[in-house]
Amino acid sequence: MTVKKRGLWIGLGVFACLLMVLLSLNHFYVDYLWFNEVGYTDIFFKELITKLQLGIPIFVVYSLLIFLFIRFLKEKTGLRISSKTSKKSLNTLFNALLVLGVSFLMTIFTINRIWYEFLEFTNQTSFNIADPVFNQDLSFYIYTLPFLESVYGILRLLYIIFAIILLVLYGYLSIKNQVNFTDEQNIDDLKRNSGLFLKNLITNNMKLVGILLGVFLILLVPQYLFDAFDMLYSNNGIVVGAGASDVEVGLKIVVFKAILAAVMAVVVIWAGFKKKIRLLLSGPVLLIAVTVIGGLGQAAYESLIVVPNQLVKEEAYIGYNINFTQTAYDLLDVEVVEFSGDQTLTVEDISENEVTIENIPINDQDPTQNMYNSLQGIRNYYQFYDVDVDRYTINGEYTQVFLGAREMNNDLLPDEAKTWINQHLKYTHGFGLAMSPVNKTTATGQPELIIKDIPPTSEYSELNIEEPRIYFGESDDDYIITNCTTAEFDYPEGENNQETTYSGTAGIQLSLLNRLSFALYYGSPELLLANEITSDSRMVFRRNIIERISTIAPFLTYDSDPYLVVADGRLYWIIDAFTSSDSYPYSQSYNEAGDNYIRNSVKVVVDAYNGDVTFYKVENEPLIDTYGNIYSEWLTDASQMPEEIKNHTRYSKTLFDIQSEIYKTYHMSNPQVFYNKEDQWETATQFYETEKVEVVLPSSYIMMKLPDREEEFMLTTTFTPKNKDNMNAWLAGVSDGDDYGKLILYQFPKQQLIYGPMQIEQRIDQDTTISPQLTLLSQQGSRVLRGNMMPIPIENAILYVEPVYIQASSGDNNLPEVKKVILSYQDQMIMADSLSEGIEELFGVSTDGQLQTTNTTQTSGDVSTDLITQANTLFNEAQEAQKAGDWALYGQKLDQLETVLKSMQDQISQ
């Protein structure tokens, strides 16, 4: 290669390095601007400061070690790293650059691995709970052990690198200096010289081999100790955690191997210096033998001693698993209430539980979201990404509602309108929301809106919204620029569009330097060239609320379903944040990642207009206290949360679903019952929509008044015995008042049948009144969709409610509409046009507590009983004819059934 070409390549390399440095510095600068804007620079600088505090001494140590290592190689092997013809000054400079460069890379690798674990280790908070085997506080397993294992992993990697370098170098010198391989050698000569090479390599380097092998054995000592602690997470026994054979045999073997490794390390090093090869190899061989014999011995102990008497041997360890799992998921204090479920409700009972009955959901979230998008989307570029459940005091009544944010989706703009200016300067924000009570529908079966349209309107003063614009939401994942010379699109009005200029506090002022930085950051020259951008313009990015909060506090995990809140005339997002760990001893994991501890210790509130983020600490627990020690002043106490927002905090559905999944097994606190799985539960199932396939009944929010309690907002789920359909328990998480976060379990008598959701579904299909009507409703180009079934405790009885939707089976944008409501109470089951009519028919009382006279000769759908009975008889006769292979009779019965169904349809339409 010519000098000119070599210079060109060197120049290109230098340019590439400078470009990488420039991009890295620019990324750092942009991140700093953003963290400064949101007010969390302490978190931003904490990583940098910690890495410098660790990196400087680590760099010095690495530099010294590498310098001494290179010097050792020179003295022992005569190795020259730089050219023989180099001048001494250049040789020294090259060696220095090599030492510093390698040390720098190793330092970067090391601090990136351990900086955060170091912070947790040095700021840890005690759990004040000790494990039952080693008597260590649980903070040791959460913080200390992971940090020590990371440090150990780095030391082991360094050992492997240095060992390979030494072995390769000494092997090369042995070949070069002691064995002569030439092309003229025959096979016998090659064999002889190869044997000589191996012999010389071992005998001439016995000291080196002894030292390397001795260090390796020393490194095994902490590994064996880590293995002992890791037994507390073992999945090898009947439960998670160390079992009888682990503690009584396995632990002793591990400790013996650690002692043996330490002793043999000294023996091996001595053997290397004395060139006793057999003694040198005895250390590894002996450890391997102990490992094999120990494994066989533990397996034999398990088979011969533990298994024949397993419950007695494992009972204590099963108890540890139950206790620590219940503690890890905050399930120790579940309030268990006996619930007979067989009470006969009176008119007075219905009147006293008016709040519960009036807030029974007859709409589901998915159909409601479809309706919001269809009827309240207003324009193609608006989208409701989600519908949430909350409660508001409306006109003096505590009311459960659905609500969804109307967000901007620039991807839905026409292709010709997807210009850079439109996407980043013009169409910048969503507008308002839609809200509807969960228990009310219009005459057409659609949710009855109490907040609607653009600008949002409501007849209730408590729902008035002064600032409806949504700049931060679930979908806003692209940057925008506000305060430009052109106004932003605000909302459509007739044939014209209203415009606005952002007056909030979000955004970074676009000075010339900042414009240049963001243009480089986004690879967007328009940021420099657009005339609409001035020095007063502001860059607003990271507008997706999950991205926004997780960038600030990545050490927390977040609920994927934020929900919108109307408070003091403004819009806010509330997101549940969790502390979690995979290092809680004896605890059953809840996901594939192995996490086995979780708390919903933080509620995050984000202003939808300004993007302000506040982390409210709502629970004192060790993990969040540790994060509070690491990062100063980022948590705000829950007592400082505005009352209007606090009224809308709710029991986290994510946490509740994890807890209920664990509780299906870990409600059994008796080790013997647990061992025999005598009382294993399952989540209840139901038929949903059109397919007759069992699906899990999801947990759901509901407002109710339970016996001996006030009306409150709860999250509920239903349990059945394993492989059975009858209901045996009902779990609720309280979202209101001083009992916020409390779990209440209503447990039914085991000796008594309480219908479960799937049994109600099967009774619906077998009901001679309802089943033919569902068949009728699915005719004439429509299809019947079953909604979520809700078991509602009222006093000591259970009322089941399931909405029935009708949807056109052809065409586009066909919205399901609530046309019927099925109610089941004890042995009674009816299908009515509305919830109130169903309550009247079941209990003879309206939802306002007034006695009513019901018509018992007609069904709630106004179809005569005679026609229903006749249709059911013809349907059964047709089935019998089909089974008998009498196809002529089968066709005749179907024709007669069609005539009856038409008569029923005529009655319904009258």
Side-chain angles (χ1 to χ4, degrees), residues 122-364:
T122 54
N123 292 278
Q124 61 183 274
T125 303
S126 174
F127 280 71
N128 295 318
I129 300 174
D131 78 272
V133 177
F134 301 104
N135 200 33
Q136 295 290 321
D137 187 88
L138 299 192
S139 58
F140 172 81
Y141 299 95
I142 306 292
Y143 305 117
T144 304
L145 194 59
F147 174 68
L148 295 177
E149 287 180 331
S150 292
V151 172
Y152 169 76
I154 291 171
L155 292 176
R156 186 172 57 185
L157 180 62
L158 292 176
Y159 163 78
I160 292 172
I161 293 173
F162 284 121
I164 290 174
I165 292 174
L166 286 170
L167 290 174
V168 170
L169 182 60
Y170 273 76
Y172 166 74
L173 293 176
S174 295
I175 295 174
K176 179 180 178 182
N177 299 329
Q178 301 180 23
V179 181
N180 183 27
F181 291 99
T182 63
D183 295 337
E184 292 79 13
Q185 291 177 334
N186 55 33
I187 297 298
D188 292 335
D189 292 334
L190 286 173
K191 290 180 179 179
R192 185 170 55 256
N193 285 334
S194 297
L196 181 63
F197 160 67
L198 292 174
K199 180 180 179 181
N200 289 338
L201 179 63
I202 295 174
T203 56
N204 294 339
N205 300 304
M206 283 284 285
K207 292 182 181 180
L208 174 64
V209 174
I211 291 173
L212 292 178
L213 194 53
V215 173
F216 172 76
L217 293 175
I218 291 173
L219 287 175
L220 284 180
V221 175
Q223 180 62 65
Y224 289 138
L225 297 179
F226 293 146
D227 290 343
F229 291 119
D230 287 342
M231 286 183 182
L232 301 190
Y233 315 110
S234 171
N235 284 303
N236 296 328
I238 58 175
V239 293
V240 172
S245 65
D246 292 318
V247 174
E248 295 171 17
V249 178
L251 183 59
K252 295 179 177 61
I253 293 172
V254 169
V255 172
F256 177 73
K257 288 195 295 185
I259 297 172
L260 179 63
V263 172
M264 294 310 299
V266 177
V267 172
V268 163
I269 294 174
W270 180 82
F273 276 85
K274 296 298 183 179
K275 295 187 178 183
K276 298 180 180 294
I277 190 168
R278 292 184 178 179
L279 188 59
L280 183 143
L281 296 175
S282 64
V285 171
L286 191 56
L287 271 177
I288 293 172
V290 170
T291 300
V292 173
I293 295 172
L296 294 174
Q298 184 174 350
Y301 184 86
E302 177 78 21
S303 300
L304 301 176
I305 306 298
V306 176
V307 172
N309 199 21
Q310 194 170 47
L311 178 57
V312 174
K313 283 290 187 179
E314 300 283 11
E315 184 172 4
Y317 305 103
I318 295 173
Y320 299 154
N321 172 254
I322 294 172
N323 179 262
F324 278 80
T325 298
Q326 290 179 344
T327 305
Y329 296 100
D330 200 17
L331 297 172
L332 281 176
D333 298 322
V334 177
E335 180 182 336
V336 180
V337 179
E338 295 299 325
F339 194 93
S340 66
D342 60 354
Q343 177 182 350
T344 299
L345 296 177
T346 65
V347 172
E348 290 75 16
D349 294 329
I350 299 300
S351 300
E352 291 175 2
N353 288 273
E354 186 177 344
V355 170
T356 299
I357 293 171
E358 288 188 348
N359 285 281
I360 294 175
I362 57 170
N363 293 303
D364 288 341

Side-chain angles (χ1 to χ4, degrees), residues 458-640:
S458 176
E459 61 182 273
Y460 303 104
S461 59
E462 53 266 65
L463 297 179
N464 287 339
I465 303 172
E466 298 174 5
E467 182 49 77
R469 296 166 184 86
I470 300 174
Y471 282 84
F472 301 85
E474 294 185 81
S475 66
D476 300 319
D477 53 3
D478 207 349
Y479 70 89
I480 60 169
I481 303 170
T482 62
N483 304 92
C484 299
T485 57
T486 58
E488 304 166 42
F489 165 77
D490 201 23
Y491 60 88
E493 187 175 53
E495 296 182 357
N496 301 314
N497 292 331
Q498 291 294 319
E499 295 185 328
T500 188
T501 298
Y502 181 69
S503 59
T505 58
I508 299 166
Q509 194 164 350
L510 286 177
S511 63
L512 180 59
L513 174 61
N514 290 348
R515 287 181 71 174
L516 184 61
S517 294
F518 282 110
L520 187 61
Y521 184 81
Y522 285 108
S524 176
E526 292 89 349
L527 285 166
L528 287 174
L529 303 175
N531 295 327
E532 292 84 355
I533 300 175
T534 69
S535 58
D536 293 326
S537 299
R538 304 179 74 85
M539 165 66 72
V540 184
F541 67 112
R542 290 180 183 149
R543 298 188 302 131
N544 177 278
I545 53 178
I546 296 297
E547 178 192 10
R548 192 171 185 84
I549 62 178
S550 60
T551 301
I552 296 172
F555 39 86
L556 300 176
T557 55
Y558 299 93
D559 196 317
S560 59
D561 185 22
Y563 60 100
L564 193 67
V565 166
V566 180
D568 295 324
R570 297 179 66 86
L571 301 180
Y572 299 89
W573 295 97
I574 297 181
I575 307 99
D576 289 299
F578 309 97
T579 53
S580 60
S581 175
D582 61 357
S583 303
Y584 203 92
Y586 273 105
S587 178
Q588 176 67 46
S589 62
Y590 64 87
N591 59 17
E592 293 182 359
D595 293 326
N596 57 8
Y597 171 92
I598 187 169
R599 289 289 189 278
N600 177 207
S601 49
V602 175
K603 303 285 185 180
V604 190
V605 177
V606 181
D607 189 311
Y609 186 69
N610 288 324
D612 297 332
V613 179
T614 308
F615 294 85
Y616 290 102
K617 178 184 175 182
V618 296
E619 180 181 356
N620 291 317
E621 55 92 24
L623 266 68
I624 197 61
D625 290 341
T626 297
Y627 296 139
N629 294 337
I630 295 173
Y631 304 104
S632 60
E633 299 180 0
W634 72 283
L635 283 172
T636 302
D637 191 79
S639 62
Q640 300 182 42

Side-chain angles (χ1 to χ4, degrees), residues 92 332 672 732 829:
T92 302
L332 281 176
Q672 183 172 351
M829 180 176 293

